[in-house]
Amino acid sequence: MKRIFLPAIVIMAAVTLHAQTTLDYFLPAGVVYNKDIPTPASYIGHEVGEWHVTHDKLLGYMKLLAEKSDRAVWEEYGKSWEGRPLGNLIISSPANIERIEEIRLEHLKISDPASSSSADLSAMPIIIKLGYGVHGNESSAQNASLISAYYLTAGEGPEIDKILEHAVILIDPALNPDGLQRHSTWVNMYRGMTLTTDPASREFSEAWPGGRTNHYWFDLNRDYIMLQHPESVGRVEAFYRWMPNINTDHHEMGANSSFFFQPGVQTRNNPVVPIENQELTALIGSYHARHLDSIGSLYYTEESFDDFYLGKGSAYPDVHGSIGILFEQAGLKGHMREVPGGVITFPFAIRNQFTVTLSTIEAGLDMRVRLLNMQKNFYQTALREADGSPVRGYVFSIGNDRTAGGKFIENLLRHKIAVYQCGKTISKNGETYSTTDSYFVPAKQKEYRFVRSLFEPVTRFADTVFYDISTWILPMSFNISYAALNNAEASGMAGSQVTEAPFPAGKVTGAEAPYAWLFEWNEYLAPRALYMIQKAGLTARVATKPFRLTENGTARDYTYGTIMVHSPEGAGSNAEIQKIMSQVADECGIEIYGASTGLTSSGIDLGSNELIALTMPSVLMLIDEGISSGEAGEIWHLLDVHYNIPVTMMPASRLASASLSRYNVIIIAGNPGMTPAAVERVREWNRAGGTIIAYKDGNRWVSANKFAEIDFIENAPLPEGSDKRYIDRSKERALHQIPGSIFETRIDLTHPLCYGYSKPLLPVFKSEVTAVRVNGNPYGNPVRHTAAPLLSGYCTPENIERIKNSAFVSVHSSPGRVISIYDDTNFRAIWYGTSRLFVNAVFFGQILRQESRYDQ
Ligand SMILES: [Zn+2]
């Protein structure tokens, strides 16, 4: 009982404190505020921190300040998936705001080695970008932006005048508006007028999937390299528009912590980023320390978090001549919460976030010329480093998946990486790169360091603990052949510069009134085409064997996975179908050929049983507790955004009353936690012909519930010994993790799950330590790791041993059809190369013949 009474006294004190919270609580003492500038409370209807601000009110307040203050303008840079505007409130002195475009253009000169020598840094304002709450449920961050914006637009006096004269400050009030809206709605709806501090109360634990992620449940703080979401595409574009010198990234961590600011763990920084970045980050850190000391808040640095993965909000700036700073406040996920040692209030968390905003600005002003110089030097030395590298550039071929190739180039261009058409044909490592489908990325360009991180595989690391993934080789994720070139090879490689990503234009060719239409499965959007055709009510068939069609003296070869639609009423009566085909070709960028006959010159004819009629997929994905929202979100995004396939998302708890007969595919991406009766319903459905796709942890579930026999390989043992030091335990545990690495697989090009591929080797991404032995079905392991599988990233020799020759995708010999995908084919929506395996399972799972080991 004693344990309960003691904190209660502290809680009482905190309640009193909370009740008295006013704007003064947050703001520095001794500043006078312009009465013409509205306070946050006058617009949002409550004091900051009393309730969680919703995104609409937050945005409205920023726009109101832009309207009322001659120090501020609002610049929109995009819209979230749910249509919420994203933007920066740009704040500077009225005189600077008058000539803001001139300041911006002048500033951009320093990050361009061609013009930076002539830039006069002494008079130039520093650009400081304040980024709040990329995780929507870390909302002390977004709520602090209200105070920052008010302070900078309403504050008066010499100190603020100095800030406004020498700095342009960009306030990005909510980096993830859709997540913020979900979270604020949640915590506000469970807030009592008398605040509950008990962490067990529902206010503090959001319903699945929570507000951390964006609309498709992606972590936007991992998307800065991938750029698969409108929030990041716009934000990165705005980054290059301003090239800020400091970028803050305000987050929350576990409730039982204090406050963290960078520098993080020194040994885990990415080696492509010059060490000066860390030195200046530490110097800026001394300002945070002093400011947090002054309000009595606890904090720590250097013990955790790192910027090794460059696709985070605090790391992306580091590899672009800027300083990215991660802040982590102990998160309440509510309004007032018991923690060890007392309670913390939401206003307290907001005040910490605002306080380090002030220290960032102060440091930025003091270190202005030094930071501007660092940015200038960063890009000048990048060129010199490139000169010293044996690698002079990278050549890549987009092969016969021109859409994925276009997406890859689009990504490079969004990162301001210079890409050229191949100036000459070259062969390297057994691959020919021709001027028609190949491109060249020279090493010597201002983004040299970033280019290296995207193209250069790494398997040796200074530290073996990773906060995030250990590698992100983009051409591998797109399954694009590429090679590093030396000086002689690179000479003459740069043809004309690519200014726009090339995407294929679709067309319908062949007979005017075809007997049948054919298209191949190699293009990334072929599945979208197939779904459009099925949705239009036409029957499509898939070729399980190749054939050659010769018409008018021209032979065309069609391989595994070719889709055929025939005209049931014969040639000449198909204007309607021809119209549909032309829409499909147009939208999907594919070539559809109209054949005038079903008789081929070799291989199967068009009426062959080897062209199997397909049923339109009707997909049910289980969601809710037990399922990884990240992985389910990747699947939803893939099927919905890329392929326009609707997905029914159902919690397992509803299975008992749902009719399963309308679905032919059920996706299980985790442990859905079903009742035994629901398991039996799924089993019945599976035996009646439905396809189960088990994804990652879903394989543990199908194995435990005897839908498939899966032989998991035991984890690698930890280092032996009984007298180990307690202090080393977490490092030793991390030793055998696979933090996200790239491995090589060999695929069976004749297998329906591998239709569309043309090369037998396929790079895959693994973020799990799980490894699985190939199963007893002789045709059931179409994708398996090679004997020397590690391509890039961290992996211990023990794990390489476990992974070599193991299965990546399996089809099981069970009464029902179960396809196992053991790792991340859809990782962060950037793995265009392997998401095809997933979508093949959706479309072609139904044609897999059940090879029972008992009936051979
Ligand atoms: Zn966060």
Side-chain angles (χ1 to χ4, degrees):
M1 287 308 284
K2 209 171 170 189
R3 277 187 67 232
I4 297 170
F5 282 125
L6 275 178
I9 296 161
V10 188
I11 292 164
M12 293 287 286
V15 171
T16 316
L17 171 75
H18 184 79
Q20 289 170 346
T21 299
T22 61
L23 197 49
D24 296 341
Y25 169 71
F26 303 100
L27 294 165
V31 178
V32 176
Y33 293 89
N34 179 350
K35 296 265 183 300
D36 295 335
I37 300 299
T39 61
S42 73
Y43 181 79
I44 64 175
H46 56 82
E47 193 45 84
V48 174
E50 194 181 349
W51 295 82
H52 279 54
V53 74
T54 53
H55 182 261
D56 47 333
K57 288 183 178 178
L58 179 60
L59 176 74
Y61 183 64
M62 295 295 150
K63 290 186 163 178
L64 181 66
L65 292 181
E67 191 189 305
K68 299 280 183 193
S69 169
D70 56 0
R71 302 173 182 175
V73 285
W74 173 256
E75 189 174 87
E76 187 170 313
Y77 63 70
K79 285 201 164 64
S80 69
W81 281 112
E82 293 174 19
R84 297 193 171 85
L86 293 145
N88 290 311
L89 185 68
I90 300 168
I91 302 175
S92 197
S93 70
N96 284 344
I97 291 291
E98 284 276 307
R99 52 176 208 99
I100 193 73
E101 183 62 4
E102 194 187 316
I103 290 174
R104 185 180 75 82
L105 294 174
E106 197 60 25
H107 177 78
L108 289 184
K109 283 186 184 167
I110 62 174
S111 50
D112 181 358
S115 56
S116 56
S117 306
S118 64
D120 175 16
L121 308 188
S122 64
M124 203 178 266
I126 184 170
I127 314 279
I128 300 173
K129 155 84 189 263
L130 306 171
Y132 296 99
V134 71
H135 295 139
N137 62 1
E138 298 177 355
S139 50
S140 61
Q142 299 93 330
N143 284 268
S145 76
L146 292 162
I147 308 284
S148 307
Y150 175 71
Y151 171 76
L152 290 167
T153 51
E156 290 181 335
E159 240 177 84
I160 291 174
D161 287 345
K162 194 176 133 203
I163 294 171
L164 298 174
E165 188 187 340
H166 297 293
V168 174
I169 293 166
L170 313 182
I171 294 182
D172 197 337
L175 306 181
N176 172 10
D178 299 346
L180 171 65
Q181 200 73 351
R182 288 204 298 277
H183 180 68
S184 56
T185 302
W186 179 269
V187 286
N188 287 338
M189 74 192 232
Y190 284 108
R191 180 197 189 278
M193 299 306 132
T194 311
L195 296 181
T196 306
T197 60
D198 179 358
S201 186
R202 202 161 191 214
E203 177 181 349
F204 303 100
S205 46
E206 294 165 276
W208 196 98
R212 173 184 174 90
T213 50
N214 77 345
H215 176 78
Y216 284 103
W217 318 332
F218 277 67
D219 186 336
L220 288 176
N221 198 33
R222 304 293 183 270
D223 193 45
Y224 284 87
I225 289 177
M226 294 23 180
L227 300 182
Q228 296 300 307
H229 296 276
E231 295 90 346
S232 328
V233 171
R235 183 141 55 244
V236 163
E237 202 181 313
F239 175 84
Y240 288 109
R241 189 172 153 72
W242 287 97
M243 291 304 290
N245 301 96
I246 300 179
N247 290 259
T248 63
D249 199 24
H250 295 256
H251 289 251
E252 286 181 359
M253 56 185 163
N256 298 346
S257 315
S258 58
F259 189 92
F260 168 87
F261 56 83
Q262 281 184 326
V265 181
Q266 297 290 316
T267 51
R268 296 185 210 156
N269 288 307
N270 196 301
V272 305
V273 175
I275 196 69
E276 187 188 10
N277 186 293
Q278 285 307 308
E279 292 161 6
L280 294 185
T281 304
L283 196 51
I284 296 172
S286 67
Y287 287 75
H288 308 318
R290 185 157 44 74
H291 278 251
L292 291 170
D293 286 343
S294 76
I295 59 166
S297 286
L298 288 171
Y299 54 85
Y300 74 98
T301 71
E302 295 188 319
E303 286 171 53
S304 52
F305 301 107
D306 65 65
D307 279 345
F308 185 83
Y309 170 53
L310 297 173
K312 293 190 303 148
S314 62
Y316 190 80
D318 292 345
V319 72
H320 291 92
S322 175
I323 303 279
I325 303 174
L326 173 69
F327 294 122
E328 296 274 357
Q329 158 66 37
L332 282 85
K333 307 280 188 279
H335 293 85
M336 184 154 66
R337 177 173 180 143
E338 289 165 34
V339 294
V343 296
I344 49 173
T345 67
F346 191 42
F348 168 77
I350 295 169
R351 185 173 66 158
N352 285 341
Q353 300 274 19
F354 173 64
T355 300
V356 295
T357 298
L358 291 180
S359 52
T360 300
I361 294 172
E362 189 186 317
L365 243 60
D366 285 358
M367 297 163 63
R368 181 178 59 86
V369 176
R370 201 163 166 195
L371 288 164
L372 291 167
N373 244 317
M374 186 196 79
Q375 192 172 49
K376 176 177 136 183
N377 291 340
F378 179 91
Y379 283 109
Q380 289 185 345
T381 55
L383 297 186
R384 286 205 289 278
E385 255 182 47
D387 269 336
S389 164
V391 173
R392 289 313 169 98
Y394 300 91
V395 63
F396 63 89
S397 152
I398 61 174
N400 65 1
D401 184 354
R402 297 166 302 162
T403 302
K407 286 281 178 192
F408 174 53
I409 293 171
E410 179 180 71
N411 182 286
L412 297 176
L413 297 180
R414 283 174 172 166
H415 291 297
K416 309 294 174 204
I417 291 169
V419 182
Y420 296 84
Q421 297 215 273
C422 245
K424 66 180 187 192
T425 295
I426 187 170
S427 291
K428 181 109 196 230
N429 308 333
E431 197 84 42
T432 297
Y433 298 92
S434 81
T435 53
T436 53
D437 71 347
S438 297
Y439 296 84
F440 178 65
V441 174
K444 189 169 182 179
Q445 56 174 302
K446 57 183 266 204
E447 298 301 347
Y448 164 68
R449 295 184 176 104
F450 189 55
V451 166
R452 261 186 78 191
S453 85
L454 303 181
F455 283 84
E456 188 181 292
V458 186
T459 50
R460 286 166 175 273
F461 299 89
D463 199 321
T464 55
V465 181
F466 297 84
Y467 184 72
D468 197 70
I469 58 177
S470 69
T471 187
W472 49 93
I473 305 301
L474 282 195
M476 290 184 185
S477 64
F478 283 88
N479 191 25
I480 279 173
S481 301
Y482 83 106
L485 302 183
N486 65 28
N487 202 17
E489 292 161 336
S491 149
M493 280 302 286
S496 53
Q497 188 164 1
V498 180
T499 52
E500 215 177 304
F503 288 105
K507 59 183 173 187
V508 180
T509 59
E512 244 169 61
Y515 166 87
W517 292 261
L518 298 163
F519 67 90
E520 293 200 84
W521 197 246
N522 51 282
E523 286 288 356
Y524 186 78
L525 291 182
R528 186 195 284 192
L530 172 55
Y531 194 78
M532 277 178 85
I533 287 165
Q534 292 178 321
K535 207 173 156 190
L538 301 170
T539 298
R541 291 177 162 78
V542 60
T544 59
K545 286 187 177 165
F547 58 93
R548 169 176 285 186
L549 191 70
T550 308
E551 290 193 313
N552 307 321
T554 307
R556 291 162 187 273
D557 287 308
Y558 289 94
T559 186
Y560 305 96
T562 296
I563 301 296
M564 190 269 283
V565 177
H566 101 284
S567 170
E569 284 149 47
S573 62
N574 45 34
E576 194 58 29
I577 306 182
Q578 182 78 336
K579 207 171 121 198
I580 293 169
M581 290 302 162
S582 138
Q583 282 167 358
V584 169
D586 229 37
E587 184 177 324
C588 305
I590 58 169
E591 182 180 344
I592 301 178
Y593 180 73
S596 57
T597 175
L599 188 66
T600 65
S601 47
S602 70
I604 54 174
D605 293 317
L606 299 194
S608 163
N609 284 342
E610 301 292 347
L611 276 145
I612 304 177
L614 296 166
T615 307
M616 182 164 84
S618 174
V619 179
L620 168 67
M621 177 165 68
L622 297 177
I623 58 162
D624 218 330
E625 295 304 325
I627 302 289
S628 150
S629 61
E631 281 145 20
E634 285 166 357
I635 292 167
W636 179 26
H637 174 265
L638 175 76
L639 297 180
D640 181 18
V641 174
H642 290 186
Y643 299 127
N644 298 354
I645 300 172
V647 179
T648 298
M649 296 186 278
M650 192 189 285
S653 58
R654 299 281 171 82
L655 273 175
S657 56
S659 163
L660 296 185
S661 59
R662 64 178 284 164
Y663 312 107
N664 50 33
V665 174
I666 293 183
I667 297 167
I668 304 176
N671 179 353
M674 281 180 218
T675 61
V679 172
E680 290 319 306
R681 292 201 67 195
V682 174
R683 198 183 312 281
E684 210 175 287
W685 168 90
N686 183 226
R687 285 181 175 168
T691 301
I692 290 178
I693 301 176
Y695 190 72
K696 294 192 71 181
D697 268 358
N699 287 292
R700 300 268 175 196
W701 187 86
V702 295
S703 172
N705 287 283
K706 306 205 172 349
F707 282 82
E709 273 180 48
I710 299 178
D711 191 2
F712 294 97
I713 301 173
E714 308 66 39
N715 284 357
L718 290 174
E720 288 180 8
S722 56
D723 56 348
K724 294 166 30 103
R725 296 190 326 147
Y726 184 70
I727 193 76
D728 295 329
R729 69 200 187 285
S730 61
K731 209 170 169 80
E732 291 199 344
R733 274 184 203 146
L735 191 66
H736 286 312
Q737 295 302 311
I738 295 178
S741 302
I742 302 174
F743 295 86
E744 184 180 63
T745 59
R746 182 173 295 283
I747 64 176
D748 173 1
L749 295 173
T750 74
H751 197 285
L753 295 185
C754 301
Y755 285 171
Y757 292 103
S758 52
K759 293 178 289 182
L761 297 176
L762 176 69
V764 301
F765 191 78
K766 265 187 81 60
S767 61
E768 295 285 335
V769 82
T770 304
V772 174
R773 290 186 183 88
V774 294
N775 67 25
N777 175 354
Y779 314 108
N781 301 284
V783 185
R784 54 196 289 183
H785 293 97
T786 57
L790 182 63
L791 292 175
S792 185
Y794 174 74
C795 188
T796 58
E798 291 86 345
N799 273 329
I800 293 177
E801 199 56 37
R802 291 172 64 243
I803 291 165
K804 73 182 196 188
N805 301 319
S806 69
F808 187 76
V809 173
S810 300
V811 181
H812 300 286
S813 316
S814 39
R817 194 176 284 115
V818 178
I819 298 169
S820 284
I821 296 176
Y822 296 117
D823 224 311
D824 258 313
T825 52
N826 313 324
F827 188 68
R828 292 184 185 167
I830 196 74
W831 275 79
Y832 282 71
T834 48
S835 61
R836 177 188 295 279
L837 292 170
F838 189 91
V839 78
N840 281 355
V842 170
F843 279 99
F844 303 141
Q846 57 180 287
I847 70 160
L848 293 174
R849 297 195 174 130
Q850 301 302 93
E851 309 284 352
S852 168
R853 70 185 76 171
Y854 305 112
D855 65 10
Q856 287 170 43

